Amino acid sequence: MIERKKTFREFIEKRYKAFKKMLEESKEITSSTEWSKAVSTFKDDYRFKAVEQSEKLEEIFNNHVSELKKKKELHEEKRNWKRKFEQCDAQQIETREARECQLSVRWR
């Protein structure tokens, strides 16, 4: 009996992993996608149909969307830091050129 339960759990876990992989491969799922849209998008996919516990699928979906949100926020933060760095670098170049210009005027 214990072996049957273990086999069944492994079977279900494989289905959950297949569903998660489907989410990762999907171009339609973004950080702002809602569960209802995901259901209508994947309703005909065998990986979605394979799991009967919709609460577990929704939990997996919500975790996936949360990860997408974190990645998006990190990407935006990185882009903002890069922009700030470029601005600072440009200001330093301008300041350095201004100082060099002032020095060359003084030496004349």
Side-chain angles (χ1 to χ4, degrees), residues 56-70:
K56 181 67 175 176
L57 290 182
E58 188 172 0
E59 179 183 329
I60 293 169
F61 170 80
N62 288 334
N63 290 339
H64 178 72
V65 169
S66 292
E67 287 298 315
L68 290 176
K69 286 178 184 176
K70 287 177 189 176

Side-chain angles (χ1 to χ4, degrees), residues 31-69:
S31 60
S32 61
T33 305
E34 294 183 8
W35 172 241
S36 57
K37 177 156 176 14
V39 169
S40 63
T41 301
F42 299 124
K43 66 183 177 199
D44 297 326
D45 192 296
Y46 74 94
R47 295 169 290 188
F48 179 77
K49 291 179 179 181
V51 182
E52 295 178 10
Q53 295 178 335
S54 64
E55 300 87 27
K56 181 67 175 176
L57 290 182
E58 188 172 0
E59 179 183 329
I60 293 169
F61 170 80
N62 288 334
N63 290 339
H64 178 72
V65 169
S66 292
E67 287 298 315
L68 290 176
K69 286 178 184 176

Side-chain angles (χ1 to χ4, degrees), residues 18-32:
F19 176 71
K20 187 172 182 173
K21 186 173 182 176
M22 176 188 68
L23 291 174
E24 291 169 355
E25 294 172 348
S26 174
K27 302 285 187 224
E28 291 97 9
I29 302 300
T30 66
S31 60
S32 61

